[in-house]
Amino acid sequence: MKRSEILEAARRCVCGEREQDYGTPENNFETIGLLWGVYLRAAHPEIRLPINGITAKDAGAMMALLKVARIATGSSPDSFVDLAGYAACAGEIATERPVE
């Protein structure tokens, strides 16, 4: 895929029907961060992570890292599209919200 095709595919994903299916990235990533935080507190009490310690921006960045891990073990074009989409969503969250 050409870079323009990857970016266009990511744009279609994050600016299209996904928001209808999953809600806004801000709300979805905040929920993911809360659930990850609760899980980590239960599984690793030594970490002493606050309940809301994983922000929406963090969740978006970590979802992007998930795609990086998938790319490291096999490179489906979809993983690159998803990586671009997660980066765009996390970047928007980071630049539209005050620093947490």
Side-chain angles (χ1 to χ4, degrees):
M1 290 180 82
K2 301 253 185 231
R3 68 185 90 156
S4 61
E5 294 171 318
I6 292 170
L7 291 171
E8 178 56 26
R11 187 197 65 74
R12 282 193 312 270
C13 287
V14 301
C15 298
E17 293 179 10
R18 291 229 175 135
E19 195 162 308
Q20 293 171 351
D21 294 339
Y22 302 112
T24 66
E26 296 83 358
N27 290 340
N28 188 250
F29 290 1
E30 185 175 342
T31 300
I32 291 167
L34 287 169
L35 292 170
W36 284 351
V38 169
Y39 172 84
L40 288 171
R41 283 173 54 98
H44 300 282
E46 71 279 6
I47 294 176
R48 298 179 186 248
L49 182 71
I51 293 289
N52 61 348
I54 300 175
T55 66
K57 179 185 79 168
D58 295 330
M62 290 191 290
M63 295 297 287
L65 289 172
L66 168 76
K67 293 300 173 175
V68 169
R70 289 201 175 152
I71 290 165
T73 59
S75 56
S76 163
D78 288 345
S79 291
F80 291 99
V81 170
D82 292 345
L83 175 59
Y86 285 126
C89 291
E92 182 175 292
I93 290 166
T95 58
E96 290 194 354
R97 286 186 168 192
V99 176
E100 299 173 25

